[in-house]
Amino acid sequence: GAGVSQSPRYKVAKRGQDVALRCDPISGHVSLFWYQQALGQGPEFLTYFQNEAQLDKSGLPSDRFFAERPEGSVSTLKIQRTQQEDSAVYLCASSGDGNTEAFFGQGTRLTVV
Amino acid sequence: GNSVTQMEGPVTLSEEAFLTINCTYTATGYPSLFWYVQYPGEGLQLLLKATKADDKGSNKGFEATYRKETTSFHLEKGSVQVSDSAVYFCALSAYNQGGKLIFGQGTELSVKP
């Protein structure tokens, strides 16, 4: 596609529910990043893939957060047993490699009630 | 660790006023520096970047100079327009971190006609 696509755009989850957020990067982009943006704050790094390899997951806040990119293209961020503090916008970005411009999707706004 | 600090908003200006948004950083080595912009209802977009000391990034009338001696990357525009109303994020990418971005908290700019 022309840009990074994320789905769903909005997700409301009941506390304790599992959610899966999808990211379709720009075709051919090697690097893929996930960020979490709380209301009124800057994005915070969660994890990074180069092709299918998850090279850095130092930003994942707990073991309830899990990301995968099994074929080196589409990525899924999964949050198990959601908590209210997980409410945020989750941003995905891709780049040709780590040294070129990162293009961001519009994000998924997750609200945990 | 690496971090970015930018001036708090909101910043409210009249059209054609001069804009400065301050950004300072802490990083080991020589990071690349970025300004991203988020227009209402849209995703993050790269506005400009600089990859080494004394480089000046520029785009759409905005400029920022990489100042190693003051660890700063202040954003300036000589004459703002209503269409510049957005949230601006300063960010850095440290060397050998795969392109992972560390963002400031964002500065909201509102330009009145």
Side-chain angles (χ1 to χ4, degrees), chain A residues 9 31 33 35 37 40-45 48 56 58 91 98-99 101-102 104-106, chain B residues 34 36 38 41-46 49 89 93 97-106:
Chain A
R9 289 290 313 279
S31 299
F33 306 84
Y35 293 86
Q37 186 176 17
Q41 301 297 316
E44 292 193 359
F45 171 79
Y48 155 59
D56 185 344
S58 61
L91 298 171
N99 296 314
E101 178 183 350
F104 282 79
Q106 290 193 286
Chain B
F34 306 83
Y36 278 82
Q38 191 169 36
E42 298 185 17
L44 277 169
Q45 301 173 26
L46 179 64
K49 70 177 183 181
F89 294 91
S93 176
Q97 291 284 298
K100 167 173 118 178
L101 291 165
I102 295 171
F103 288 88
Q105 73 270 33

Side-chain angles (χ1 to χ4, degrees), chain A residues 11-82:
Chain A
K11 175 71 179 176
V12 178
K14 291 185 178 178
R15 193 166 48 190
Q17 188 177 357
D18 297 350
V19 298
L21 311 180
R22 177 187 169 104
C23 173
D24 282 84
I26 293 173
S27 178
H29 274 190
V30 167
S31 299
L32 186 146
F33 306 84
W34 284 98
Y35 293 86
Q36 180 190 59
Q37 186 176 17
L39 188 65
Q41 301 297 316
E44 292 193 359
F45 171 79
L46 293 177
T47 186
Y48 155 59
F49 291 85
Q50 189 172 75
N51 295 308
E52 69 278 6
Q54 189 174 20
L55 298 186
D56 185 344
K57 53 181 181 179
S58 61
L60 296 176
S62 77
D63 58 8
R64 296 186 296 104
F65 287 71
F66 173 76
E68 60 183 6
R69 194 186 186 198
E71 297 178 358
S73 178
V74 171
S75 178
T76 304
L77 177 67
K78 297 179 179 178
I79 309 173
Q80 297 178 321
R81 304 181 303 282
T82 52

